[in-house]
Structures are given as structure tokens and as C-alpha cells.
Amino acid sequence: MLTVGQMCKKCKVSARTLRYYDNVGLLTPSGKTHSGYRLYDENAVNQMGMILLFKRRGFSLSDIKIIVSAKDFDMSRVLDRQIEMLKLKRQHIDRLIENAVAMKEKGVENMDFSFFENKELEEYARQAKQRWGKTDAYREYRERAKGRNRQDLENDGRGVMEILKKFGRIVDMQACSQQAQDLVKELQDYITRHFYTCTKRILAGLGQMYTQDERMKNNIDNAAGRGTAEFARQAIAYYTKE
């Protein structure tokens, strides 16, 4: 068992941080001395390591609490996923560095701008028109889009991806969990506000498309982590079942 001081030294955190994590239910002490001082065992050290990893990844403390307190939480599985996500992030940062170096060495006017293209968004728009062009939902979307500029429409699309990233953060949980089902409702409401009235039938179709469309599946998994597209599909399927 480690004392508060030993825990702080080992994990490079302050006593105030330990006290706060205890107060919010994120990391409770493993026990206490006869005098009431907090003690931490090896499991607590491991959990602190997970908390700090997720915190560095940009997760909020509330999201971290949901992840580490889940009944089906598997540390090995979660670490495998985080290693994969960090590798993808490193690849993206490497590409950004390469482009920045190219800008410095070649000048902006001579560099290849293909890294910043919006081909994926344009391809989605083309596929959507081909698949749903004659539906009421697509006509509603086109009507709402009138008078809006390209940046607004792209921001709407990014909003969907931000919600899908939230699915990626809880992909180790059950698709029928309350957290996953709340995210499906958030996705449905967002689509209704920004695109068209998203009925359960339409939502179910979108969920299927997330995995059946290989391009979309890869983009979702690359942005939110492998398995996110399938997890979102399962969560949507549970939400929309009759």
C-alpha cells in the first residue's frame, strides 16, 4: 500500500489532485490507516495510469469516469485501442510536419495541397444525392441548405463526426448501454436540427451505411478509432429496433 505522498511521487500528481479525484468518484483510496490517512494499492496505481493517459488524449474527467467505471472495462483491451489511436494520431502529425517542411522548403506556391482537399465530403454529397435524391428527407435538406455557405455545411458535417468520436470513446462498452443509447439520441437530434427530420427508419439506414459503405467506415474508424463504425451501427440498431 502506498501513502498519499508515495502515490503522488510515483504518479507525478499532487495531493490536491488525489483528493479531487476521490471527491468526484474517479479514483477512491484502496483503504485507510487507523488514523484515517488514505492508502493506494497496485490497482489504484494502474487506474491512475489510465486516467492520466485518457486525460492526455483530451478526454474530459466525466468521460474518463464513464470508461474506467464500466462493468465490462478491460484494461488490456482499452490499452490496445489507445495504442492504436495514438499511432494513427502520430501518422497524422507526421503528415502535418511533412507538409509544413514542404511549405518552408518549396514555398507555398509550389507545394501539393492535396492533403487539405475536401474530396471525401464532396464524394459523400454525391453518394447522398444518388441514394436519396428523390426522398422527402433529401429535399428537406436541400431546402435548408439554401442560402448557407460551404463553411457552414462543412461545420455541420464535422459536428456529426464529433458525435461519432464520442462513440469511439466508449467503444469498449455495450452498444445497449445507457451511454451509447444517449449518444444515438444526440446523433438523431443533431441530424434533425442541421440536416433533415431524422426518423428512426432513416437513422437505421444511416447506421447500416456506416459499415456497408467502405469509404465511410474507414473514415469513421480513422477519425474515432477502429471499430467505431460497427459500434455505432450496433447502438443505432438497438435504439431503432421495433
Side-chain angles (χ1 to χ4, degrees):
M1 287 284 207
L2 300 179
T3 64
V4 169
Q6 292 170 329
M7 184 72 167
C8 291
K9 185 176 181 180
K10 185 176 184 65
C11 299
K12 312 302 182 192
V13 297
S14 67
R16 182 179 180 182
T17 295
L18 286 178
R19 185 165 55 253
Y20 179 71
Y21 287 176
D22 183 14
N23 290 338
V24 299
L26 187 59
L27 180 69
T28 57
S30 309
K32 291 187 178 182
T33 67
H34 293 299
S35 302
Y37 293 104
R38 289 166 290 162
L39 295 172
Y40 297 88
D41 61 12
E42 184 178 350
N43 289 332
V45 174
N46 291 336
Q47 186 163 336
M48 175 61 81
M50 295 298 299
I51 292 169
L52 296 177
L53 175 62
F54 281 117
K55 190 176 178 183
R56 281 297 184 95
R57 288 271 290 107
F59 287 70
S60 67
L61 291 182
S62 58
D63 284 340
I64 296 173
K65 183 178 179 180
I66 290 173
I67 294 169
V68 300
S69 62
K71 291 181 180 179
D72 55 354
F73 177 75
D74 184 329
M75 183 176 292
S76 178
R77 182 182 175 189
V78 171
L79 282 173
D80 285 341
R81 173 170 168 72
Q82 291 307 308
I83 290 169
E84 181 183 332
M85 289 292 294
L86 288 168
K87 286 181 178 178
L88 287 172
K89 187 174 182 179
R90 182 175 63 186
Q91 291 172 9
H92 182 70
I93 291 174
D94 285 343
R95 291 183 67 191
L96 287 174
I97 293 172
E98 289 171 4
N99 276 273
V101 171
M103 290 174 69
K104 181 178 180 180
E105 294 179 348
K106 301 178 182 178
V108 176
E109 68 277 6
N110 294 317
M111 72 170 292
D112 179 9
F113 279 82
S114 60
F115 179 70
F116 303 103
E117 286 180 339
N118 290 314
K119 287 183 177 179
E120 299 296 344
L121 288 172
E122 293 171 358
E123 177 63 16
Y124 289 158
R126 185 193 66 77
Q127 291 180 8
K129 184 174 182 180
Q130 185 179 51
R131 189 173 304 191
W132 296 303
K134 296 181 180 180
T135 64
D136 291 338
Y138 189 81
R139 283 193 288 271
E140 181 183 353
Y141 168 66
R142 294 302 302 170
E143 188 64 29
R144 289 193 189 185
K146 288 180 180 179
R148 305 191 68 205
N149 59 41
R150 182 187 182 92
Q151 187 62 51
D152 290 336
L153 298 176
E154 288 182 359
N155 287 340
D156 288 344
R158 291 191 186 95
V160 172
M161 188 57 74
E162 288 304 313
I163 296 174
L164 290 171
K165 286 180 180 179
K166 293 181 183 180
F167 278 101
R169 294 172 186 171
I170 62 168
V171 73
D172 298 307
M173 301 178 69
Q174 296 293 324
C176 60
S177 67
Q178 188 61 52
Q179 291 90 338
Q181 293 302 294
D182 287 345
L183 282 181
V184 176
K185 182 63 166 60
E186 181 179 346
L187 177 64
Q188 182 184 33
D189 291 345
Y190 184 90
I191 292 172
T192 296
R193 287 197 309 272
H194 294 270
F195 296 96
Y196 46 76
T197 303
C198 186
T199 63
K200 282 193 173 183
R201 181 179 179 184
I202 291 175
L203 185 62
L206 287 172
Q208 291 293 329
M209 191 175 70
Y210 288 162
T211 55
Q212 292 176 358
D213 187 315
E214 196 65 26
R215 185 190 299 268
M216 183 170 286
K217 178 179 180 295
N218 289 337
N219 280 349
I220 292 172
D221 285 355
N222 286 338
R226 184 175 297 176
T228 299
E230 174 59 24
F231 178 70
R233 183 200 67 76
Q234 292 177 9
I236 291 171
Y238 185 85
Y239 181 88
T240 58
K241 69 180 181 180
E242 298 299 333

